[in-house]
Amino acid sequence: MSNPILVEVTREPLTESVHRGAFAVADAKGGLKLFAGDVDRPIFPRSSLKPVQAVPLIETGAADAFGVSDEELALACASHSGEPMHTTRVAAWQDRIGCSVADLACGPHRPVHDKTATEMIANGERWTSLHNNCSGKHTGFMTLARHLQAPVKGYQLVDHPSQRLVEQTLKEMAGVSGDMPYGVDGCTVPNFALPLKALARVMAQFADPSNLSPPRRQATNRVVRAMTAHPELVAGTGRACTNLMRQARGIITKTGAEGVYIAIIPRLGLGVALKIDDGASRASETAIAALLIALGALPDEGAAAGLARAPVPNTRGLPVGERRAVMDAFRRPG
Amino acid sequence: MSNPILVEVTREPLTESVHRGAFAVADAKGGLKLFAGDVDRPIFPRSSLKPVQAVPLIETGAADAFGVSDEELALACASHSGEPMHTTRVAAWQDRIGCSVADLACGPHRPVHDKTATEMIANGERWTSLHNNCSGKHTGFMTLARHLQAPVKGYQLVDHPSQRLVEQTLKEMAGVSGDMPYGVDGCTVPNFALPLKALARVMAQFADPSNLSPPRRQATNRVVRAMTAHPELVAGTGRACTNLMRQARGIITKTGAEGVYIAIIPRLGLGVALKIDDGASRASETAIAALLIALGALPDEGAAAGLARAPVPNTRGLPVGERRAVMDAFRRPG
């Protein structure tokens, strides 16, 4: 059984490429409200896990102890574009906890924001681990390590107390017992695998934390507040997450590598998780926008409409086809 | 019915993403030697069509009339990386036919070769339409227009004599009568759609031109000679086509956007065409290498082995998974 086609890319007059995938929409108790495809197979949430990875930072009291601001929490939950607004804030945060770029376990990569990369090249500058889209998350782990009086060195290893707390938090929020398979994420940190329906349930608990313990509820509420208040820090200029969150006001959308996307919809008390089989970001962005429109969480206009149905341009900028969600796939109850 | 999984991407301990697709291996009479998936649905060959698009340039006598070299013919068949070795040759060719970069209908894009792009930015240079990976193909069309005493302006339009000759040539080589659907390629030129089994047959006639008319046979032979003699001009430094052709000596491999790849295997008299459903280049490169290995056209070593089975690194350069061909999918006769 293959997953349904969620997104198609046309080149008039034909459909040129298609993207299959699966998604789950759940409430905080794990009740599935809508789904398509295989939602039982474990998948890696990749960077969509970041809101969960930030929970122990708050719940343990580490964030308060180190005066971590909402802007910094938004960066802990970010796959940021490496723009100056991101890197300067992460560097200042590291400075305050007595760490530096040299402590980051993630390697450097070219800033996602092309203008920043171009300016750096023109100025003869080199990108560092601060420009890694995960540098905020890593700084969160270092802050947690400091608070736990654990060594900062090795914070990215699965047996480090910081990562153990992440695993424990995820298991509890997903309602999973026993071992969780994990892989090494692009930025060297463990990434735990779980079914889409469980990931949707985890996100639903950010949307509706009424069944969480008070310290955890306070932590998830603070993650929601920080991310929704600073959409430009969660991703960056022109990025899908930023544009969708600006339009949505109160909804969280968070991308993950290899075609993953989650959404947190407090107004509906729902969590959303989707994965494109082939890992394409162009398709996961289109699919999450379409799903939010189908759920009535976003109007079919602005950023959401622009992602759900986007022109395919040639090198002269003229449209020669379209990338679009197969809307019926998002409306059928699973 | 969905196409089979040809390539999988793991993140240990799980398969993280998969790529489905179809392929056809045919002889010059259209006999299918091996296939998988839907080989009857029309697909756009995109840049995999370039060897065919170069045939009228030679067959009409235009190439000889303008002293077009094998290096230039290789560039006419290229999706080049925009390195100086490509752009200086294309510019010199344009100069010789009384044209310039201003005549190119393709727009500019960042050179595919990252080092070239970085050096240009550092030197304050801007890329032009010469850096467009298709600038050699376009210069071939302009040369053909000159020879036909047709206007150079508008050479990219479907009713221009240059494009009519391409369509006619493709129909004859594919054994297709009647209208062929066409779309506008990324570089503004028409791209004609045909089933994978027909595209494989077209490529087989480059491999075994014994049934072609003498002028066309001379043209296809010259395309094969030019491309196999200059693999670095057909793509560029570090590119899959270049590395595979260097290893293969005598075999042509040519990528196309949206997950297309063709191969021409003179030694076996076979043509190959494949398309990844979702359009991913990482998968089409892996699949073509695996298919050439499965056909015994390439040994399972060197560039081919490195593409058929490649590590997925994290930002520290350490392998955390693998991109690999599902070899059984390439061995089963269709």
PDB file of all heavy atoms in Angstrom, chain B residues 5-37:
ATOM      1  N   ILE B   5       9.450   1.428  -5.626  1.00  0.00           N
ATOM      2  CA  ILE B   5      10.499   2.194  -4.932  1.00  0.00           C
ATOM      3  C   ILE B   5      11.836   1.827  -5.556  1.00  0.00           C
ATOM      4  O   ILE B   5      12.225   0.656  -5.574  1.00  0.00           O
ATOM      5  CB  ILE B   5      10.488   1.885  -3.422  1.00  0.00           C
ATOM      6  CG1 ILE B   5       9.187   2.415  -2.791  1.00  0.00           C
ATOM      7  CG2 ILE B   5      11.713   2.491  -2.736  1.00  0.00           C
ATOM      8  CD1 ILE B   5       8.973   1.987  -1.351  1.00  0.00           C
ATOM      9  N   LEU B   6      12.531   2.826  -6.097  1.00  0.00           N
ATOM     10  CA  LEU B   6      13.826   2.587  -6.742  1.00  0.00           C
ATOM     11  C   LEU B   6      14.991   2.975  -5.834  1.00  0.00           C
ATOM     12  O   LEU B   6      16.082   2.421  -5.949  1.00  0.00           O
ATOM     13  CB  LEU B   6      13.918   3.375  -8.054  1.00  0.00           C
ATOM     14  CG  LEU B   6      12.871   3.058  -9.131  1.00  0.00           C
ATOM     15  CD1 LEU B   6      13.131   3.894 -10.382  1.00  0.00           C
ATOM     16  CD2 LEU B   6      12.875   1.567  -9.489  1.00  0.00           C
ATOM     17  N   VAL B   7      14.746   3.939  -4.963  1.00  0.00           N
ATOM     18  CA  VAL B   7      15.824   4.464  -4.114  1.00  0.00           C
ATOM     19  C   VAL B   7      15.281   4.681  -2.709  1.00  0.00           C
ATOM     20  O   VAL B   7      14.149   5.147  -2.544  1.00  0.00           O
ATOM     21  CB  VAL B   7      16.353   5.804  -4.684  1.00  0.00           C
ATOM     22  CG1 VAL B   7      17.384   6.437  -3.745  1.00  0.00           C
ATOM     23  CG2 VAL B   7      16.938   5.607  -6.074  1.00  0.00           C
ATOM     24  N   GLU B   8      16.074   4.338  -1.708  1.00  0.00           N
ATOM     25  CA  GLU B   8      15.669   4.623  -0.330  1.00  0.00           C
ATOM     26  C   GLU B   8      16.780   5.396   0.370  1.00  0.00           C
ATOM     27  O   GLU B   8      17.954   5.278   0.015  1.00  0.00           O
ATOM     28  CB  GLU B   8      15.328   3.328   0.425  1.00  0.00           C
ATOM     29  CG  GLU B   8      16.421   2.298   0.439  1.00  0.00           C
ATOM     30  CD  GLU B   8      15.960   0.954   1.021  1.00  0.00           C
ATOM     31  OE1 GLU B   8      14.753   0.743   1.183  1.00  0.00           O
ATOM     32  OE2 GLU B   8      16.835   0.119   1.309  1.00  0.00           O
ATOM     33  N   VAL B   9      16.357   6.215   1.321  1.00  0.00           N
ATOM     34  CA  VAL B   9      17.299   7.024   2.098  1.00  0.00           C
ATOM     35  C   VAL B   9      17.115   6.626   3.550  1.00  0.00           C
ATOM     36  O   VAL B   9      16.016   6.756   4.098  1.00  0.00           O
ATOM     37  CB  VAL B   9      17.014   8.529   1.912  1.00  0.00           C
ATOM     38  CG1 VAL B   9      18.023   9.367   2.698  1.00  0.00           C
ATOM     39  CG2 VAL B   9      17.030   8.905   0.432  1.00  0.00           C
ATOM     40  N   THR B  10      18.173   6.108   4.147  1.00  0.00           N
ATOM     41  CA  THR B  10      18.062   5.669   5.533  1.00  0.00           C
ATOM     42  C   THR B  10      18.658   6.704   6.483  1.00  0.00           C
ATOM     43  O   THR B  10      19.490   7.526   6.089  1.00  0.00           O
ATOM     44  CB  THR B  10      18.797   4.338   5.779  1.00  0.00           C
ATOM     45  OG1 THR B  10      20.218   4.566   5.698  1.00  0.00           O
ATOM     46  CG2 THR B  10      18.410   3.270   4.763  1.00  0.00           C
ATOM     47  N   ARG B  11      18.178   6.684   7.687  1.00  0.00           N
ATOM     48  CA  ARG B  11      18.841   7.312   8.828  1.00  0.00           C
ATOM     49  C   ARG B  11      18.811   6.212   9.860  1.00  0.00           C
ATOM     50  O   ARG B  11      17.734   5.802  10.309  1.00  0.00           O
ATOM     51  CB  ARG B  11      18.071   8.569   9.279  1.00  0.00           C
ATOM     52  CG  ARG B  11      18.684   9.310  10.481  1.00  0.00           C
ATOM     53  CD  ARG B  11      18.039  10.680  10.629  1.00  0.00           C
ATOM     54  NE  ARG B  11      18.236  11.414   9.396  1.00  0.00           N
ATOM     55  CZ  ARG B  11      19.264  12.244   9.153  1.00  0.00           C
ATOM     56  NH1 ARG B  11      20.148  12.480  10.104  1.00  0.00           N
ATOM     57  NH2 ARG B  11      19.387  12.828   7.985  1.00  0.00           N
ATOM     58  N   GLU B  12      19.937   5.674  10.148  1.00  0.00           N
ATOM     59  CA  GLU B  12      19.962   4.477  10.987  1.00  0.00           C
ATOM     60  C   GLU B  12      19.177   4.723  12.263  1.00  0.00           C
ATOM     61  O   GLU B  12      19.320   5.783  12.846  1.00  0.00           O
ATOM     62  CB  GLU B  12      21.404   4.069  11.277  1.00  0.00           C
ATOM     63  CG  GLU B  12      22.144   3.531  10.050  1.00  0.00           C
ATOM     64  CD  GLU B  12      21.421   2.399   9.331  1.00  0.00           C
ATOM     65  OE1 GLU B  12      20.822   1.556  10.037  1.00  0.00           O
ATOM     66  OE2 GLU B  12      21.424   2.372   8.095  1.00  0.00           O
ATOM     67  N   PRO B  13      18.302   3.807  12.673  1.00  0.00           N
ATOM     68  CA  PRO B  13      18.095   2.448  12.171  1.00  0.00           C
ATOM     69  C   PRO B  13      16.897   2.301  11.219  1.00  0.00           C
ATOM     70  O   PRO B  13      16.483   1.174  10.981  1.00  0.00           O
ATOM     71  CB  PRO B  13      17.821   1.682  13.463  1.00  0.00           C
ATOM     72  CG  PRO B  13      17.036   2.666  14.293  1.00  0.00           C
ATOM     73  CD  PRO B  13      17.557   4.035  13.933  1.00  0.00           C
ATOM     74  N   LEU B  14      16.379   3.418  10.667  1.00  0.00           N
ATOM     75  CA  LEU B  14      15.153   3.341   9.870  1.00  0.00           C
ATOM     76  C   LEU B  14      15.364   3.807   8.431  1.00  0.00           C
ATOM     77  O   LEU B  14      16.314   4.527   8.137  1.00  0.00           O
ATOM     78  CB  LEU B  14      14.053   4.220  10.498  1.00  0.00           C
ATOM     79  CG  LEU B  14      13.661   3.938  11.948  1.00  0.00           C
ATOM     80  CD1 LEU B  14      12.665   4.992  12.435  1.00  0.00           C
ATOM     81  CD2 LEU B  14      13.050   2.542  12.079  1.00  0.00           C
ATOM     82  N   THR B  15      14.439   3.419   7.552  1.00  0.00           N
ATOM     83  CA  THR B  15      14.345   4.045   6.238  1.00  0.00           C
ATOM     84  C   THR B  15      13.570   5.338   6.429  1.00  0.00           C
ATOM     85  O   THR B  15      12.433   5.326   6.905  1.00  0.00           O
ATOM     86  CB  THR B  15      13.610   3.128   5.251  1.00  0.00           C
ATOM     87  OG1 THR B  15      14.400   1.952   5.055  1.00  0.00           O
ATOM     88  CG2 THR B  15      13.420   3.822   3.912  1.00  0.00           C
ATOM     89  N   GLU B  16      14.205   6.463   6.058  1.00  0.00           N
ATOM     90  CA  GLU B  16      13.575   7.758   6.337  1.00  0.00           C
ATOM     91  C   GLU B  16      12.724   8.250   5.162  1.00  0.00           C
ATOM     92  O   GLU B  16      11.642   8.784   5.358  1.00  0.00           O
ATOM     93  CB  GLU B  16      14.658   8.797   6.673  1.00  0.00           C
ATOM     94  CG  GLU B  16      14.058  10.144   7.063  1.00  0.00           C
ATOM     95  CD  GLU B  16      15.046  11.077   7.732  1.00  0.00           C
ATOM     96  OE1 GLU B  16      16.261  10.985   7.449  1.00  0.00           O
ATOM     97  OE2 GLU B  16      14.610  11.922   8.535  1.00  0.00           O
ATOM     98  N   SER B  17      13.231   8.097   3.945  1.00  0.00           N
ATOM     99  CA  SER B  17      12.505   8.569   2.765  1.00  0.00           C
ATOM    100  C   SER B  17      12.683   7.567   1.633  1.00  0.00           C
ATOM    101  O   SER B  17      13.650   6.803   1.620  1.00  0.00           O
ATOM    102  CB  SER B  17      13.017   9.947   2.320  1.00  0.00           C
ATOM    103  OG  SER B  17      12.807  10.909   3.333  1.00  0.00           O
ATOM    104  N   VAL B  18      11.739   7.568   0.711  1.00  0.00           N
ATOM    105  CA  VAL B  18      11.818   6.671  -0.452  1.00  0.00           C
ATOM    106  C   VAL B  18      11.466   7.433  -1.724  1.00  0.00           C
ATOM    107  O   VAL B  18      10.725   8.417  -1.688  1.00  0.00           O
ATOM    108  CB  VAL B  18      10.872   5.457  -0.310  1.00  0.00           C
ATOM    109  CG1 VAL B  18      11.278   4.583   0.867  1.00  0.00           C
ATOM    110  CG2 VAL B  18       9.420   5.892  -0.195  1.00  0.00           C
ATOM    111  N   HIS B  19      12.015   6.961  -2.828  1.00  0.00           N
ATOM    112  CA  HIS B  19      11.740   7.561  -4.131  1.00  0.00           C
ATOM    113  C   HIS B  19      11.229   6.481  -5.079  1.00  0.00           C
ATOM    114  O   HIS B  19      11.931   5.504  -5.333  1.00  0.00           O
ATOM    115  CB  HIS B  19      13.008   8.197  -4.709  1.00  0.00           C
ATOM    116  CG  HIS B  19      13.552   9.308  -3.876  1.00  0.00           C
ATOM    117  ND1 HIS B  19      13.087  10.598  -3.959  1.00  0.00           N
ATOM    118  CD2 HIS B  19      14.501   9.318  -2.912  1.00  0.00           C
ATOM    119  CE1 HIS B  19      13.741  11.364  -3.106  1.00  0.00           C
ATOM    120  NE2 HIS B  19      14.604  10.612  -2.450  1.00  0.00           N
ATOM    121  N   ARG B  20      10.021   6.710  -5.592  1.00  0.00           N
ATOM    122  CA  ARG B  20       9.448   5.804  -6.578  1.00  0.00           C
ATOM    123  C   ARG B  20       9.769   6.297  -7.978  1.00  0.00           C
ATOM    124  O   ARG B  20      10.027   7.479  -8.189  1.00  0.00           O
ATOM    125  CB  ARG B  20       7.928   5.734  -6.404  1.00  0.00           C
ATOM    126  CG  ARG B  20       7.502   5.112  -5.096  1.00  0.00           C
ATOM    127  CD  ARG B  20       5.992   5.184  -4.895  1.00  0.00           C
ATOM    128  NE  ARG B  20       5.629   4.622  -3.602  1.00  0.00           N
ATOM    129  CZ  ARG B  20       5.390   3.328  -3.392  1.00  0.00           C
ATOM    130  NH1 ARG B  20       5.427   2.467  -4.406  1.00  0.00           N
ATOM    131  NH2 ARG B  20       5.108   2.879  -2.192  1.00  0.00           N
ATOM    132  N   GLY B  21       9.710   5.384  -8.934  1.00  0.00           N
ATOM    133  CA  GLY B  21       9.969   5.800 -10.299  1.00  0.00           C
ATOM    134  C   GLY B  21       9.760   4.675 -11.281  1.00  0.00           C
ATOM    135  O   GLY B  21       9.338   3.572 -10.920  1.00  0.00           O
ATOM    136  N   ALA B  22      10.042   4.984 -12.542  1.00  0.00           N
ATOM    137  CA  ALA B  22       9.883   4.024 -13.629  1.00  0.00           C
ATOM    138  C   ALA B  22      11.088   4.141 -14.550  1.00  0.00           C
ATOM    139  O   ALA B  22      11.730   5.189 -14.609  1.00  0.00           O
ATOM    140  CB  ALA B  22       8.595   4.314 -14.399  1.00  0.00           C
ATOM    141  N   PHE B  23      11.409   3.042 -15.242  1.00  0.00           N
ATOM    142  CA  PHE B  23      12.488   3.098 -16.233  1.00  0.00           C
ATOM    143  C   PHE B  23      12.224   2.127 -17.355  1.00  0.00           C
ATOM    144  O   PHE B  23      11.481   1.148 -17.195  1.00  0.00           O
ATOM    145  CB  PHE B  23      13.861   2.825 -15.591  1.00  0.00           C
ATOM    146  CG  PHE B  23      14.033   1.445 -15.040  1.00  0.00           C
ATOM    147  CD1 PHE B  23      14.343   0.364 -15.877  1.00  0.00           C
ATOM    148  CD2 PHE B  23      13.904   1.201 -13.687  1.00  0.00           C
ATOM    149  CE1 PHE B  23      14.507  -0.910 -15.376  1.00  0.00           C
ATOM    150  CE2 PHE B  23      14.058  -0.088 -13.168  1.00  0.00           C
ATOM    151  CZ  PHE B  23      14.365  -1.141 -14.012  1.00  0.00           C
ATOM    152  N   ALA B  24      12.843   2.414 -18.487  1.00  0.00           N
ATOM    153  CA  ALA B  24      12.745   1.534 -19.651  1.00  0.00           C
ATOM    154  C   ALA B  24      14.122   1.388 -20.269  1.00  0.00           C
ATOM    155  O   ALA B  24      14.884   2.353 -20.357  1.00  0.00           O
ATOM    156  CB  ALA B  24      11.773   2.113 -20.673  1.00  0.00           C
ATOM    157  N   VAL B  25      14.434   0.170 -20.693  1.00  0.00           N
ATOM    158  CA  VAL B  25      15.658  -0.126 -21.439  1.00  0.00           C
ATOM    159  C   VAL B  25      15.205  -0.742 -22.762  1.00  0.00           C
ATOM    160  O   VAL B  25      14.507  -1.761 -22.764  1.00  0.00           O
ATOM    161  CB  VAL B  25      16.562  -1.122 -20.678  1.00  0.00           C
ATOM    162  CG1 VAL B  25      17.842  -1.392 -21.455  1.00  0.00           C
ATOM    163  CG2 VAL B  25      16.869  -0.603 -19.270  1.00  0.00           C
ATOM    164  N   ALA B  26      15.562  -0.099 -23.873  1.00  0.00           N
ATOM    165  CA  ALA B  26      15.044  -0.542 -25.174  1.00  0.00           C
ATOM    166  C   ALA B  26      16.159  -0.669 -26.199  1.00  0.00           C
ATOM    167  O   ALA B  26      17.235  -0.079 -26.045  1.00  0.00           O
ATOM    168  CB  ALA B  26      13.989   0.445 -25.676  1.00  0.00           C
ATOM    169  N   ASP B  27      15.872  -1.429 -27.247  1.00  0.00           N
ATOM    170  CA  ASP B  27      16.791  -1.453 -28.382  1.00  0.00           C
ATOM    171  C   ASP B  27      16.273  -0.486 -29.461  1.00  0.00           C
ATOM    172  O   ASP B  27      15.221   0.148 -29.291  1.00  0.00           O
ATOM    173  CB  ASP B  27      16.992  -2.874 -28.915  1.00  0.00           C
ATOM    174  CG  ASP B  27      15.720  -3.483 -29.476  1.00  0.00           C
ATOM    175  OD1 ASP B  27      14.801  -2.734 -29.871  1.00  0.00           O
ATOM    176  OD2 ASP B  27      15.635  -4.731 -29.516  1.00  0.00           O
ATOM    177  N   ALA B  28      17.001  -0.392 -30.566  1.00  0.00           N
ATOM    178  CA  ALA B  28      16.697   0.637 -31.563  1.00  0.00           C
ATOM    179  C   ALA B  28      15.372   0.406 -32.277  1.00  0.00           C
ATOM    180  O   ALA B  28      14.814   1.324 -32.877  1.00  0.00           O
ATOM    181  CB  ALA B  28      17.842   0.733 -32.576  1.00  0.00           C
ATOM    182  N   LYS B  29      14.868  -0.807 -32.226  1.00  0.00           N
ATOM    183  CA  LYS B  29      13.560  -1.070 -32.842  1.00  0.00           C
ATOM    184  C   LYS B  29      12.419  -0.889 -31.841  1.00  0.00           C
ATOM    185  O   LYS B  29      11.258  -1.134 -32.156  1.00  0.00           O
ATOM    186  CB  LYS B  29      13.536  -2.484 -33.425  1.00  0.00           C
ATOM    187  CG  LYS B  29      14.456  -2.605 -34.643  1.00  0.00           C
ATOM    188  CD  LYS B  29      14.394  -3.984 -35.258  1.00  0.00           C
ATOM    189  CE  LYS B  29      15.229  -4.022 -36.540  1.00  0.00           C
ATOM    190  NZ  LYS B  29      15.417  -5.389 -37.042  1.00  0.00           N
ATOM    191  N   GLY B  30      12.760  -0.525 -30.608  1.00  0.00           N
ATOM    192  CA  GLY B  30      11.734  -0.287 -29.597  1.00  0.00           C
ATOM    193  C   GLY B  30      11.443  -1.506 -28.745  1.00  0.00           C
ATOM    194  O   GLY B  30      10.543  -1.472 -27.898  1.00  0.00           O
ATOM    195  N   GLY B  31      12.193  -2.581 -28.940  1.00  0.00           N
ATOM    196  CA  GLY B  31      12.002  -3.763 -28.099  1.00  0.00           C
ATOM    197  C   GLY B  31      12.437  -3.471 -26.671  1.00  0.00           C
ATOM    198  O   GLY B  31      13.552  -3.007 -26.446  1.00  0.00           O
ATOM    199  N   LEU B  32      11.539  -3.732 -25.717  1.00  0.00           N
ATOM    200  CA  LEU B  32      11.854  -3.453 -24.311  1.00  0.00           C
ATOM    201  C   LEU B  32      12.674  -4.595 -23.732  1.00  0.00           C
ATOM    202  O   LEU B  32      12.227  -5.740 -23.706  1.00  0.00           O
ATOM    203  CB  LEU B  32      10.566  -3.303 -23.499  1.00  0.00           C
ATOM    204  CG  LEU B  32       9.928  -1.915 -23.448  1.00  0.00           C
ATOM    205  CD1 LEU B  32       8.658  -1.947 -22.597  1.00  0.00           C
ATOM    206  CD2 LEU B  32      10.915  -0.892 -22.899  1.00  0.00           C
ATOM    207  N   LYS B  33      13.867  -4.294 -23.269  1.00  0.00           N
ATOM    208  CA  LYS B  33      14.741  -5.316 -22.697  1.00  0.00           C
ATOM    209  C   LYS B  33      14.530  -5.456 -21.207  1.00  0.00           C
ATOM    210  O   LYS B  33      14.776  -6.517 -20.627  1.00  0.00           O
ATOM    211  CB  LYS B  33      16.205  -4.962 -22.977  1.00  0.00           C
ATOM    212  CG  LYS B  33      16.538  -4.933 -24.459  1.00  0.00           C
ATOM    213  CD  LYS B  33      16.255  -6.288 -25.080  1.00  0.00           C
ATOM    214  CE  LYS B  33      16.443  -6.279 -26.594  1.00  0.00           C
ATOM    215  NZ  LYS B  33      16.072  -7.559 -27.197  1.00  0.00           N
ATOM    216  N   LEU B  34      14.145  -4.361 -20.568  1.00  0.00           N
ATOM    217  CA  LEU B  34      13.938  -4.341 -19.112  1.00  0.00           C
ATOM    218  C   LEU B  34      13.112  -3.109 -18.834  1.00  0.00           C
ATOM    219  O   LEU B  34      13.292  -2.072 -19.488  1.00  0.00           O
ATOM    220  CB  LEU B  34      15.297  -4.228 -18.408  1.00  0.00           C
ATOM    221  CG  LEU B  34      15.371  -4.478 -16.898  1.00  0.00           C
ATOM    222  CD1 LEU B  34      15.191  -5.966 -16.578  1.00  0.00           C
ATOM    223  CD2 LEU B  34      16.727  -4.006 -16.351  1.00  0.00           C
ATOM    224  N   PHE B  35      12.184  -3.211 -17.895  1.00  0.00           N
ATOM    225  CA  PHE B  35      11.458  -2.007 -17.488  1.00  0.00           C
ATOM    226  C   PHE B  35      10.864  -2.209 -16.113  1.00  0.00           C
ATOM    227  O   PHE B  35      10.798  -3.343 -15.609  1.00  0.00           O
ATOM    228  CB  PHE B  35      10.369  -1.626 -18.504  1.00  0.00           C
ATOM    229  CG  PHE B  35       9.122  -2.466 -18.433  1.00  0.00           C
ATOM    230  CD1 PHE B  35       8.026  -2.035 -17.703  1.00  0.00           C
ATOM    231  CD2 PHE B  35       9.043  -3.679 -19.101  1.00  0.00           C
ATOM    232  CE1 PHE B  35       6.859  -2.805 -17.632  1.00  0.00           C
ATOM    233  CE2 PHE B  35       7.893  -4.452 -19.035  1.00  0.00           C
ATOM    234  CZ  PHE B  35       6.804  -4.019 -18.297  1.00  0.00           C
ATOM    235  N   ALA B  36      10.451  -1.114 -15.505  1.00  0.00           N
ATOM    236  CA  ALA B  36       9.734  -1.161 -14.229  1.00  0.00           C
ATOM    237  C   ALA B  36       8.814   0.039 -14.185  1.00  0.00           C
ATOM    238  O   ALA B  36       9.155   1.110 -14.688  1.00  0.00           O
ATOM    239  CB  ALA B  36      10.718  -1.121 -13.056  1.00  0.00           C
ATOM    240  N   GLY B  37       7.649  -0.155 -13.615  1.00  0.00           N
ATOM    241  CA  GLY B  37       6.705   0.948 -13.458  1.00  0.00           C
ATOM    242  C   GLY B  37       6.019   1.307 -14.765  1.00  0.00           C
ATOM    243  O   GLY B  37       6.076   0.564 -15.750  1.00  0.00           O
TER     244      GLY B  37
END
